[in-house]
Amino acid sequence: MGLLPDEIKPAMQGVIPSHLATCSLDGTPNVTTISQIYYVDADHVALSYQFFNKTIKNVRENPRALAWLVSPGTFESWDLELEFEHSETSGPVFDAMDMQIEAIASMTGMKGIFKLKAADIYRVKSVEKNVGE
C-alpha cells in the first residue's frame, strides 16, 4: 500500500496551483508556484518542469523537496515530502501531463505560454493532510 491516499487526487488536477520548496546544497531556499503535480502511483508524483531553472538546479544538488497542494472542492491542503528520482521527456506520464497543461493554459488564457520540458518523477517520502479552521 502506498503513501498517497485517494482523497488527495483532486488536489492534483491543476485547478489550484501548487507550491514547491527546494533548497540548494549550501542551504539557500527557493519556493515557486507549479502548474501541476501529477499522480503517477501511490508512491510517486510527477512535477511539471516548465520554467523553474533555480528549482531544477537545487533538486540536482539536493534531491529533497516539499510540495503544498490544495483540493479545489474542499480547500483541504496537503504537504508532500518528496525526493527526486528522474526526468522523463517522453512516454505516457509526459504525454498525459503535456495534455493537461495545455488544457490548464487554454482555460486560463495562457495558451502557447506553458510548455512542458519534462515530467520530473519524485518518490513520496511522507504525506500530511493539514487540519485547521
Side-chain angles (χ1 to χ4, degrees):
M1 184 166 162
L3 291 174
L4 292 171
D6 284 340
E7 67 178 316
I8 198 171
K9 289 180 182 178
M12 295 183 176
Q13 294 175 350
V15 175
I16 298 175
S18 299
H19 294 84
L20 184 69
T22 61
C23 192
S24 68
L25 198 56
D26 72 0
T28 305
N30 183 62
V31 178
T32 190
T33 302
I34 184 167
S35 300
Q36 186 178 27
I37 297 179
Y38 181 83
Y39 180 92
V40 175
D41 61 39
D43 289 311
H44 293 89
V45 295
L47 278 56
S48 57
Y49 169 23
Q50 296 167 265
F51 311 111
F52 41 75
N53 294 328
K54 178 63 176 166
T55 299
I56 295 303
K57 181 180 182 298
N58 284 354
V59 169
R60 298 312 186 263
E61 291 178 4
N62 174 12
R64 296 195 177 269
L66 182 68
W68 179 73
L69 301 84
V70 177
S71 182
T74 63
F75 294 105
E76 294 173 320
S77 66
W78 302 82
D79 292 328
L80 301 180
E81 183 184 349
L82 305 172
E83 187 168 13
F84 175 76
E85 287 190 346
H86 66 278
S87 289
E88 296 179 3
T89 56
S90 64
V93 171
F94 178 86
D95 293 343
M97 290 183 73
D98 192 40
M99 185 170 57
Q100 191 168 358
I101 284 176
E102 284 297 320
I104 292 168
S106 180
M107 290 186 304
T108 59
M110 304 287 279
K111 192 167 176 74
I113 295 174
F114 293 176
K115 181 66 182 148
L116 185 64
K117 294 179 182 179
D120 285 349
I121 308 298
Y122 288 76
R123 172 172 294 284
V124 178
K125 305 297 277 182
S126 72
V127 178
E128 184 176 336
K129 183 177 181 179
N130 298 308
V131 179
E133 305 265 332

